[in-house]
Amino acid sequence: MESWEMREWYAEYIDACNRHDLDAVRSFVHPSVRRAHLPGGADAWIADMADLFQGFPDWRWRRIQLVVEDDRLAAHLRGSGTHLGTFRGIAPTRRHVNVAEFAMYRVASGRFSEFTGSENGLELRTQLGQ
């Protein structure tokens, strides 16, 4: 993919995420995607997103910056939502959270094949009062 195509492709991915369309999200992820410090595979990726959306049904990402180089993407995002469902064992607090996220992706054959990024679990728990 050309750089401009990668940017458009990533915008489509973020749109699918913000619609909480897990089938569409899965189409962007290689079945055996490697994720640093997280379980690999598309099923684990989708399960993590489903867990997030259960806890924060209005969760959305906003792209701050995107850098494309060859088969790599670097993204700075803001994620936010209201804690209205159970998330990682934490009962709903009705608090609104807003976290910075940094992600690095490798894209192969039109899908994410590798991912590493900031872990926002501690920041989320802090904002939830945990």
Side-chain angles (χ1 to χ4, degrees):
M1 261 189 269
E2 295 292 326
S3 176
W4 65 270
E5 292 171 304
M6 192 90 84
R7 290 177 182 285
E8 289 181 4
W9 179 83
Y10 191 76
E12 291 170 13
Y13 167 71
I14 293 297
D15 183 58
C17 291
N18 286 339
R19 291 191 323 267
H20 298 192
D21 184 344
L22 295 177
D23 290 331
V25 169
R26 185 180 290 274
S27 73
F28 288 87
V29 180
H30 191 278
S32 61
V33 64
R34 292 187 323 214
R35 302 189 305 161
H37 312 294
L38 295 169
D43 290 341
W45 185 302
I46 297 302
D48 286 348
M49 291 189 98
D51 187 42
L52 179 68
F53 297 155
Q54 175 186 325
F56 301 87
D58 62 344
W59 190 268
R60 292 189 52 85
W61 283 276
R62 181 172 53 93
R63 189 183 83 201
I64 306 299
Q65 187 169 14
L66 182 68
V67 177
V68 178
E69 184 176 307
D70 300 324
D71 63 347
R72 307 284 176 159
L73 289 170
H76 173 198
L77 308 163
R78 293 296 302 183
S80 63
T82 309
H83 186 216
L84 299 175
T86 301
F87 177 70
R88 296 184 182 170
I90 302 170
T93 63
R94 303 192 59 77
R95 291 185 180 179
H96 186 79
V97 299
N98 188 332
V99 295
E101 297 185 28
F102 299 90
M104 294 287 297
Y105 307 91
R106 183 173 163 277
V107 178
S109 302
R111 292 184 173 202
F112 296 121
S113 61
E114 294 177 21
F115 166 82
T116 189
S118 56
E119 168 53 41
N120 60 17
L122 178 60
E123 188 175 355
L124 276 176
R125 286 191 299 279
T126 299
Q127 289 186 34
L128 295 175
Q130 298 294 309

